[in-house]
Amino acid sequence: MKVLIAGGGTGGHLFPGIAIAETFMARDPENQVRFISTRRAIDQEVLAVRGFSSQTIEAEGIKGRGIAGQVKALFKLPGALKQSCRILREFRPQLVIGVGGYVSGPVVLAGRLKGIPTAIQEQNSIPGLTNRILALLVDRIYYSFEKSREYFPARKSLWTGNPVRQELKRVREEPSTPQASLTVLVLGGSQGSHRLNQLVTEALDFLKELKKDLSFIHQTGTKDEDWVRQAYLEKGFQHQVRAFISDMVWAYARADMLICRSGATTLAEVTALGKASLLIPFPFAANNHQEENARSLVEQGAAEMISEKELTGAGLAAVIRKWRNDSRYRTDLAARAKTLGRWQAAEDIVENCTQLVRKGRWN
């Protein structure tokens, strides 16, 4: 089977697509999967490392931009649709899947116009603009949070959870080595978070007595990597600072707790792996979906959440100190998180897509 997967721009869109692609290839090595993603270097590098071919189209996002930016993006749509049709004509896929982001819109629409079975996968609790529109056109909709069902037609929708990369299963196989210190993993998303970087480094000033008891693994994003590393050095804390952590198996295996944004893919990984997490939603996410994502864990006692505007360096230090001193609380949070994990999400999506291609479209 030939499968075309469209999406990217953030790891939150790209990694679920990779999980789906890996499952198609694991099911049958004769399958062929191609991506249409953004021109971001990280997108291209992540796909290349995993051996997936990719192409790009000239498309831009519409939501959250000024009038001039929106007009520019709209004028690019016809060209993006034409490019998508050309790629479909050359690759001849039997299935087109959109995993979110502005790139997926023209590609999935082109697939629909050409009569190819189409599907979308929605990661967040509140669907983005692209998937809300595409939901009216596609044959299948796979969503990650149960509360998202209200946004989609029931007859062609399926709750699967958010696909998790198969490589992360190796976290459970990593040898457990006793650590004297508490290891804190800081994730601000694939592009990092400047405000999270500031808060964590400010918190260090209030944790001086715990220098020997704390260790940090910190994904900063490219712009902040140097000064964050320097802050850890000057304040005397154990640290591993990376602009982008490519080996998440290594990072997750060592983490005792996470301080992170609440993008859907991060939460899928946190729950699948059973990790205690302090969630700090990105306050400018479309439709405030990160707060809604986080709330789904908090309501079940599987994580803590603090809004960015309410958090200070001192407040963050107090949470880290509390969690360091109360291992039972961390363990309970992690156990509750693990009950929400859905390792089988990618397999369920691939099985359903296979049925779609074999039996024909619902619409």
Side-chain angles (χ1 to χ4, degrees), residues 1-4 24-25 28-34 52 91 93:
M1 184 189 304
K2 289 186 175 182
V3 182
L4 188 66
F24 268 112
M25 297 308 298
D28 185 352
E30 296 299 315
N31 286 334
Q32 297 180 46
V33 180
R34 183 177 298 183
F52 291 113
F91 184 52

Coordinates of all heavy atoms in Angstrom, one line a residue, residues 1-4 24-25 28-34 52 91 93:
M1 N 0.8 -1.2 0.0 CA 0.0 0.0 0.0 C 0.9 1.3 0.0 O 1.9 1.3 0.7 CB -0.9 0.0 1.2 CG -1.9 1.2 1.3 SD -2.8 1.3 2.9 CE -3.5 -0.3 3.0
K2 N 0.5 2.2 -0.8 CA 1.2 3.5 -0.8 C 0.4 4.5 0.1 O -0.8 4.7 -0.2 CB 1.3 4.0 -2.2 CG 2.3 3.3 -3.1 CD 2.5 4.0 -4.4 CE 3.6 3.3 -5.2 NZ 3.8 4.0 -6.5
V3 N 1.1 5.2 1.0 CA 0.4 6.1 1.9 C 1.1 7.4 1.9 O 2.4 7.5 2.0 CB 0.4 5.5 3.4 CG1 -0.3 6.5 4.3 CG2 -0.2 4.1 3.4
L4 N 0.4 8.5 1.8 CA 0.9 9.8 1.8 C 0.4 10.5 3.1 O -0.8 10.5 3.4 CB 0.4 10.6 0.6 CG 1.1 12.0 0.4 CD1 2.6 11.8 0.1 CD2 0.4 12.8 -0.7
F24 N 2.7 1.3 9.7 CA 2.4 0.8 8.4 C 3.6 -0.1 7.9 O 3.4 -1.1 7.3 CB 2.2 1.9 7.4 CG 0.8 2.3 7.2 CD1 0.3 3.6 7.7 CD2 -0.2 1.5 6.6 CE1 -1.0 4.0 7.5 CE2 -1.5 1.9 6.4 CZ -1.9 3.1 6.9
M25 N 4.8 0.4 8.1 CA 6.0 -0.3 7.7 C 6.2 -1.6 8.5 O 6.7 -2.6 7.9 CB 7.2 0.6 7.7 CG 7.2 1.8 6.8 SD 6.8 1.4 5.1 CE 8.2 0.4 4.7
D28 N 3.8 -4.2 7.1 CA 4.2 -4.8 5.8 C 5.4 -4.0 5.3 O 5.2 -2.8 4.8 CB 3.1 -4.8 4.8 CG 3.4 -5.5 3.5 OD1 4.6 -5.8 3.3 OD2 2.5 -5.6 2.7
P29 N 6.6 -4.5 5.2 CA 7.8 -3.8 4.7 C 7.6 -3.4 3.3 O 8.4 -2.5 2.8 CB 8.9 -4.8 4.9 CG 8.5 -5.7 6.0 CD 7.0 -5.8 5.8
E30 N 6.7 -4.0 2.6 CA 6.4 -3.6 1.2 C 5.6 -2.3 1.0 O 5.5 -1.8 -0.1 CB 5.7 -4.8 0.4 CG 6.5 -6.0 0.3 CD 7.8 -5.8 -0.5 OE1 7.8 -5.2 -1.5 OE2 8.9 -6.3 0.0
N31 N 5.0 -1.9 2.1 CA 4.3 -0.6 2.1 C 5.2 0.5 1.8 O 6.5 0.4 2.1 CB 3.6 -0.3 3.4 CG 2.4 -1.2 3.7 OD1 1.7 -1.7 2.7 ND2 2.0 -1.4 4.9
Q32 N 4.7 1.6 1.2 CA 5.5 2.8 0.9 C 4.8 4.0 1.6 O 3.6 4.2 1.4 CB 5.6 3.0 -0.6 CG 6.4 1.9 -1.3 CD 6.5 2.2 -2.8 OE1 6.8 3.3 -3.2 NE2 6.2 1.2 -3.6
V33 N 5.6 4.7 2.3 CA 5.1 5.9 3.0 C 5.9 7.1 2.6 O 7.2 7.1 2.7 CB 5.1 5.7 4.5 CG1 4.5 7.0 5.2 CG2 4.3 4.5 5.0
R34 N 5.2 8.2 2.2 CA 5.9 9.4 1.9 C 5.3 10.5 2.7 O 4.1 10.5 2.9 CB 5.9 9.7 0.4 CG 6.6 11.0 0.0 CD 6.6 11.2 -1.5 NE 7.2 10.1 -2.2 CZ 7.3 10.1 -3.6 NH1 6.8 11.1 -4.3 NH2 8.0 9.1 -4.2
F52 N 12.4 8.2 6.1 CA 11.2 8.5 5.3 C 11.5 9.6 4.3 O 12.1 10.6 4.7 CB 10.1 8.9 6.3 CG 9.5 7.8 7.1 CD1 9.7 7.8 8.5 CD2 8.9 6.8 6.5 CE1 9.2 6.8 9.3 CE2 8.4 5.7 7.3 CZ 8.5 5.7 8.7
F91 N 3.1 10.0 -7.2 CA 3.3 9.0 -6.2 C 2.2 7.9 -6.2 O 2.4 6.8 -5.9 CB 3.3 9.6 -4.8 CG 3.6 8.6 -3.6 CD1 4.7 7.7 -3.7 CD2 2.8 8.6 -2.5 CE1 4.9 6.9 -2.6 CE2 3.0 7.7 -1.5 CZ 4.1 6.8 -1.5
P93 N -0.8 7.5 -4.4 CA -1.1 6.8 -3.1 C -2.5 6.2 -3.1 O -3.4 6.7 -3.8 CB -1.0 7.9 -2.1 CG -1.3 9.2 -2.8 CD -0.8 8.9 -4.2

